[in-house]
Amino acid sequence: MDDTKKIIKEKEKWFSRQIDSSKIKDRTTSWGLDLNVVYTPEEMSDGDYITEIGFPGEFPFTRGVYPSMYRGRLWTMRQYAGFGNPEATNARFRSLLDQGQSGLSVAFDLPTQIGYDSDDPRVEEEVGRVGVAVDTLKDMEIIFDGIPLDKITSSFTVNPTAGIILAMYVAIAQKRGIALDKIGGTLQNDLLKEYLARGTQMFPPDPSLRLIGDIIEYCNSDVPKMNTISICGYHMREAGCSLVQEVAYCLSNAIIYIEEMLKRGIHIDEFAPRLSFLLCCGMNIFEEVAKFRATRRLWAKMIKTRYHAKNSKSMMLRMFSGCSATAFTDREPLNNIARGAIMSLVAVLAGNQAIHTTAYDEAYTIPTEEATRIALRTQQIIAYETDATAVADPMGGSYFLEHLTNEIEKEVEKEMARIEANGGMMKGIAEGSIQKDIARQAYEQAKKIQSGDTPVVGVNKFVSDADEYDVDIHQADPDVIKHQVQRLKEIKAKRNTKQVHLLLDEIRRTAASSNNLMGPILAAVHEYATMGEICNALKDVFGEYQENF
Amino acid sequence: MQNQTFPLRVLLAKPGLDGHDKGAKIVATLLRDAGVEVIYTGLRQSVDQIISVAIQEDVDVIALSILSGVHLEISRKIMNKLREEGVDTIPVTIGGVISKKDIKELKKIGITEVFPVGSSFDSILEFFKSRTKKVEI
């Protein structure tokens, strides 16, 4: 204590000796906290090291979820990929695995994400555009042809149709005779954030929540290595909310999922170890690392004290992080390689379990093969050529970082309390108030970039007169839709349509009851019921979401 | 006799399945703050829905926001439908992820103005202000 007092006194002297306040620019954090010029032990004196920071692999997991972090095992390098047709996607996946990628991440086209078949006239221009089209189990069989499901993990960026994609993955394993406890991966399956930011919602919030619960319950008993949900803050942040709100919305949504499971009589320790998270990694190095540390601590404390978990695995917040795509610019796109490297390094310093490095051309298109390779190489360079992996939480102990970690924790708690006082996330989503708040902030941020208050190199600062690089947008293969529609036609001709209709009726009956939907969906998928047929059966009972703005 | 400016009415629409509405919402706020009346359709509007709202609401401009790469296909559909309905005098603009090559193509199809990602607020406001009706009364 005496030491701290001495430091404070010396710091004051130093300040008057060295700093002319009129000559230094004010700096704040991205959420508006004023920053000192330098941080000292003064800012660390209020927290107890053992209870607040502690050791990696132990409560409150501030320093990381595993004891030896990357010395034990590197993070999963997971690049998002998916092309119009299943064959091309399969080829890209095989090539990524050959290059040393350790997990697959499937990008689906929008019709697949929202539940339309490729032959639906309402979606013809979208088939195979932003990812691979999946109409039936056949397409998934092609995507994973020759890929050993028991040796790799797969991440599926899919939300309202997550249960159907999961059923298809399970069906492939069953057909190949692979035990379901050997397959694993991650389903995004976070519907609440779709209403807030990403926009692939299909059903109203209540049945969406029920579907998520059914998936978690099913995986608990049948597919124990599947991360059942990836609770996302990323998309709200990209849509415009602050770093503090990103965490607050993410954890507030997590509370809704937790309570849905508890309502079903499932103990917190039975499902919490399989919850995973996706947060954004932006350009502010210290803020971002502090955010991940604060989020781990907030989660651990919440699960232990509010939900009385006993299993420490329930308290471990396992994270996947993606570079902020909005930090990327369409001007001088090669600069995005530098931005991606900084953000990926931040994700490593923050102790993520899986990382996606955004490809430099990803701001405007599905990345080219070269851009994808550079993105993967970026992570490999960090992993093998730097000492970022040498110790757990290498930035821990920085006065500034610890101060930011404490501040973010406090701010997130305040924001979560405010959300609860306003009636919770479900109410905020239904009324559209959270969406409006995000949109207003997005506008303010855009204004700051326009005015130059937020510097963006090559955009509003150091703007080059050189000819602008024209974007080369990935062209959808016009044959994709033809092939998809043809394949769909052949499958429909070959399958037992009578049986499919019986199974779709079973889905409707189950949807109207409170029984788990995964069994009937799996049965229908095995008989090659289509994505659109299954979704329409569910819509017959659940209805469709109407946007409120 | 005096010149009176009437607020411009703009239909801001998101056709297709793309859920990225950040840009559309930013432009909606930008135009509203500039005194433009903005009718925002929300996500996943079909071409028929968009044109029927445009006619009902008697809008001065139809502004589309598309980030999933389907701007050429959707624009062709929209322009055909506008002609079919006999309202192809309504100017149509598009914002989103659009290459220079496609900007030329879009203008050939009949799109009045294109605002690719990175367009300045000034350029957007300038266009819409130039469309504001000045009526003598």
Side-chain angles (χ1 to χ4, degrees), chain A residues 325-517:
Chain A
T326 52
F328 279 22
T329 64
D330 63 323
R331 297 270 183 107
E332 302 183 21
L334 293 176
N335 295 347
N336 294 333
I337 297 175
R339 295 189 177 98
I342 292 170
M343 293 189 276
S344 303
L345 176 60
V346 168
V348 171
L349 295 171
N352 276 279
Q353 279 56 62
I355 297 170
H356 167 86
T357 298
T358 306
Y360 72 85
D361 57 357
E362 208 163 326
Y364 40 77
T365 188
I366 290 180
T368 56
E369 187 148 9
E370 185 200 33
T372 308
R373 190 176 59 243
I374 293 171
L376 176 61
R377 293 288 183 249
T378 302
Q379 293 195 31
Q380 290 166 337
I381 289 167
I382 295 168
Y384 297 100
E385 297 182 17
T386 80
D387 59 0
T389 56
V391 299
D393 189 29
M395 282 169 75
S398 145
Y399 306 126
F400 179 39
L401 182 79
E402 296 297 350
H403 175 66
L404 285 179
T405 307
N406 293 340
E407 285 298 320
I408 292 170
E409 183 181 14
K410 274 187 248 167
E411 290 297 319
V412 170
E413 279 175 337
K414 258 195 260 170
E415 183 66 18
M416 288 176 73
R418 197 182 66 85
I419 293 165
E420 289 210 16
N422 287 340
M425 284 304 275
M426 289 297 262
K427 184 158 172 271
I429 290 169
E431 288 173 349
S433 58
I434 298 173
Q435 293 92 315
K436 278 193 193 110
D437 190 24
I438 293 173
R440 174 47 72 173
Q441 292 189 65
Y443 178 56
E444 296 303 330
Q445 285 167 16
K447 270 207 303 203
K448 282 185 187 161
I449 292 175
Q450 294 286 322
S451 68
D453 287 348
T454 302
V456 184
V457 172
V459 172
N460 61 18
K461 217 169 173 64
F462 313 115
V463 182
S464 144
D465 295 331
D467 255 2
E468 249 179 83
Y469 180 100
D470 195 18
V471 299
D472 182 17
I473 295 173
H474 171 80
Q475 292 302 317
D477 177 355
D479 286 342
V480 168
I481 183 160
K482 220 167 65 195
H483 288 146
Q484 281 303 119
V485 170
Q486 182 59 31
R487 182 147 56 222
L488 195 53
K489 219 166 125 186
E490 284 166 16
I491 299 267
K492 280 186 175 170
K494 267 198 286 187
R495 69 181 186 177
N496 181 342
T497 301
K498 206 173 142 201
Q499 180 65 10
V500 169
H501 286 295
L502 287 174
L503 291 168
L504 292 172
D505 281 339
E506 180 58 23
I507 289 175
R508 282 188 198 93
R509 264 195 304 278
T510 311
S513 76
S514 60
N515 294 336
N516 195 304
L517 273 160

Side-chain angles (χ1 to χ4, degrees), chain A residues 149-171:
Chain A
L149 300 195
D150 48 350
K151 304 245 163 34
I152 52 112
T153 59
S154 303
S155 167
F156 300 104
T157 302
V158 65
N159 293 276
T161 54
I164 301 164
I165 293 294
L166 168 67
M168 290 178 180
Y169 199 62
V170 165

Side-chain angles (χ1 to χ4, degrees), chain A residues 136-431:
Chain A
T136 69
L137 173 60
K138 183 76 195 163
D139 297 316
M140 283 283 275
E141 289 176 311
I142 296 168
I143 294 170
F144 288 99
D145 183 40
I147 295 172
L149 300 195
D150 48 350
K151 304 245 163 34
I152 52 112
T153 59
S154 303
S155 167
F156 300 104
T157 302
V158 65
N159 293 276
T161 54
I164 301 164
I165 293 294
L166 168 67
M168 290 178 180
Y169 199 62
V170 165
I172 299 173
Q174 288 173 331
K175 287 177 82 172
R176 291 193 198 162
I178 300 168
L180 296 188
D181 60 2
K182 295 275 185 297
I183 63 168
T186 303
L187 298 166
Q188 193 162 82
N189 196 26
D190 170 12
L191 259 309
L192 293 178
K193 66 96 175 48
E194 295 296 320
Y195 305 100
L196 291 173
R198 196 168 167 274
T200 69
Q201 61 275 23
M202 175 162 52
F203 310 117
D206 285 329
S208 294
L209 193 54
R210 179 256 174 104
L211 264 176
I212 293 168
D214 283 1
I215 292 169
I216 298 177
E217 209 172 27
Y218 168 76
C219 287
N220 262 355
S221 57
D222 288 46
V223 199
K225 282 193 187 151
M226 188 60 74
N227 295 314
T228 49
I229 185 166
S230 178
I231 307 169
C232 303
Y234 183 95
H235 307 82
M236 282 84 90
R237 175 82 177 283
E238 290 285 270
C241 81
S242 74
L243 171 149
V244 167
Q245 284 171 321
E246 176 194 7
V247 179
Y249 293 156
C250 180
L251 294 182
S252 299
N253 283 347
I255 287 174
I256 292 173
Y257 299 134
I258 290 170
E259 291 186 352
E260 168 70 20
M261 299 320 291
L262 297 177
K263 217 169 62 191
R264 294 176 180 228
I266 302 175
H267 190 270
I268 185 82
D269 285 327
E270 283 179 64
F271 64 89
R274 281 288 151 200
L275 304 178
S276 65
F277 291 81
L278 168 57
L279 292 177
C280 181
C281 226
M283 291 293 288
N284 286 323
I285 298 166
F286 286 87
E287 279 187 16
E288 295 293 349
V289 174
K291 175 188 79 182
F292 285 95
R293 299 171 90 244
T295 309
R296 280 195 293 265
R297 188 154 80 199
L298 279 158
W299 174 256
K301 286 180 182 173
M302 182 171 95
I303 294 302
K304 189 174 182 175
T305 56
R306 183 167 172 172
Y307 294 109
H308 314 292
K310 298 273 178 286
N311 183 352
S312 69
K313 284 201 172 118
S314 303
M315 304 168 207
M316 285 167 37
L317 183 110
R318 292 167 310 123
M319 281 183 302
F320 170 45
S321 180
C323 301
S324 164
T326 52
F328 279 22
T329 64
D330 63 323
R331 297 270 183 107
E332 302 183 21
L334 293 176
N335 295 347
N336 294 333
I337 297 175
R339 295 189 177 98
I342 292 170
M343 293 189 276
S344 303
L345 176 60
V346 168
V348 171
L349 295 171
N352 276 279
Q353 279 56 62
I355 297 170
H356 167 86
T357 298
T358 306
Y360 72 85
D361 57 357
E362 208 163 326
Y364 40 77
T365 188
I366 290 180
T368 56
E369 187 148 9
E370 185 200 33
T372 308
R373 190 176 59 243
I374 293 171
L376 176 61
R377 293 288 183 249
T378 302
Q379 293 195 31
Q380 290 166 337
I381 289 167
I382 295 168
Y384 297 100
E385 297 182 17
T386 80
D387 59 0
T389 56
V391 299
D393 189 29
M395 282 169 75
S398 145
Y399 306 126
F400 179 39
L401 182 79
E402 296 297 350
H403 175 66
L404 285 179
T405 307
N406 293 340
E407 285 298 320
I408 292 170
E409 183 181 14
K410 274 187 248 167
E411 290 297 319
V412 170
E413 279 175 337
K414 258 195 260 170
E415 183 66 18
M416 288 176 73
R418 197 182 66 85
I419 293 165
E420 289 210 16
N422 287 340
M425 284 304 275
M426 289 297 262
K427 184 158 172 271
I429 290 169
E431 288 173 349

Side-chain angles (χ1 to χ4, degrees), chain A residues 110-111 114 116 121-126 129-130 196-202 237-240 326 330-331 363-365 435 439-440 442-443 445-447 450 467-473 475 544 547 549, chain B residues 15-22 25-27 29-31 33-34 39-47 66-74 77 97-102 116-123:
Chain A
L110 285 165
I114 307 177
Y116 296 99
R122 288 171 293 183
V123 302
E124 59 183 351
E125 57 275 334
E126 312 265 9
R129 182 65 73 152
V130 299
L196 291 173
R198 196 168 167 274
T200 69
Q201 61 275 23
M202 175 162 52
R237 175 82 177 283
E238 290 285 270
T326 52
D330 63 323
R331 297 270 183 107
Y364 40 77
T365 188
Q435 293 92 315
R440 174 47 72 173
Y443 178 56
Q445 285 167 16
K447 270 207 303 203
Q450 294 286 322
D467 255 2
E468 249 179 83
Y469 180 100
D470 195 18
V471 299
D472 182 17
I473 295 173
Q475 292 302 317
E544 280 188 78
E547 202 179 347
F549 46 83
Chain B
L17 303 183
D18 168 38
H20 294 88
D21 56 3
K22 183 179 182 177
K25 286 179 171 171
I26 287 175
V27 170
T29 313
L30 175 72
L31 294 180
D33 282 2
I39 301 152
Y40 174 52
T41 62
L43 301 180
R44 287 185 225 158
Q45 298 298 303
S46 71
V47 166
I66 304 173
L67 285 94
S68 61
V70 297
H71 42 268
L72 291 173
E73 293 87 336
I74 299 252
K77 278 192 182 175
V97 182
I98 298 161
S99 67
K100 281 197 192 119
K101 188 173 85 227
D102 285 357
V117 168
S119 296
S120 71
F121 278 15
D122 289 345
S123 67

